[in-house]
Amino acid sequence: MLLAIDIGNTNIVFGVNHNADWIKIWRIKTTAEKTSDEYEVLFRSLFTGANVTSGYITHVIISSVVPSLSRAFREMIRNFLSLEAMFVRPEIYSLLPLEILNPYEIGTDLVANATAAISKHPSPCLVIDFGTALTFTTVGQAGNILGVAIAPGLRTAVKALAGNTAQLPHVELAVPPSVLGKNTVHAIQSGIVLGYTGMVRYMIEQIQKEVPSNLRIIATGGLASVIAPYCQNIDCIEENLTLDGLKIISEYISGQRIK
């Protein structure tokens, strides 16, 4: 079985895959200050609670955009599973069916997303990831990453708004009853949720102008289900796209797939 771990700035999402199925996926809050021992205790508890036998794990692959946690997770996997984790990094990109623009700058989560997208969908395609950052990754017909656009994610915007204003609260990210907010909560929801919906639509339109071929547009990330239903040009939502990409990358690293 494979354990795939996606360490993001806000959440750490990880899952166990067996025979091409995710038998269990967890999402926990990212805490950069936690030690390898603390994460080991948490992982052991979650595995036990889900009746997942850690001894059946044979491979581990990790994508991390939080450098301070990479070492902690390497040590945690050694102690917890007695395994050496594979990390997604530029040194392994030559094994993938991707041509990666600026390999030392692009996030490894975006590489995982692109790998899954071209493996599961026709190219060219656009992956919109609704995470801590809102990212648009465009992959061309030949599997080349044509470019990326990055904006603050929805929760990041709400956090910045609440953190920098004295009277505006954190709110649930949901579609308000009207664009005309009648109270503070609805006003923020209108500006953030509906405003971001407009931005996503516009970005898709602009990207389609520069990539004349028909784009397959895929949404992923924790907040994809909030925005995607209001963007008719999004073809599908794939909640586990990053983990799927990590699984596929592990197969290229181990030689189970040849590009």
Side-chain angles (χ1 to χ4, degrees), residues 98-101 106 110-111 113-115 117-118 122-129 135-150 203-218:
L98 287 174
E99 180 184 334
I100 297 173
L101 187 70
I106 190 169
L110 302 188
V111 173
N113 286 345
T115 301
I118 66 170
S123 297
C125 55
L126 168 63
V127 179
I128 308 173
D129 193 337
T135 60
F136 301 78
T137 304
T138 306
V139 186
Q141 189 74 45
N144 51 324
I145 295 180
L146 299 175
V148 177
I150 303 175
M203 288 297 294
I204 292 173
E205 290 173 3
Q206 294 306 302
I207 291 168
Q208 286 177 323
K209 288 180 181 178
E210 294 198 31
V211 184
S213 303
N214 290 329
L215 277 175
R216 175 76 170 172
I217 301 173
I218 308 151

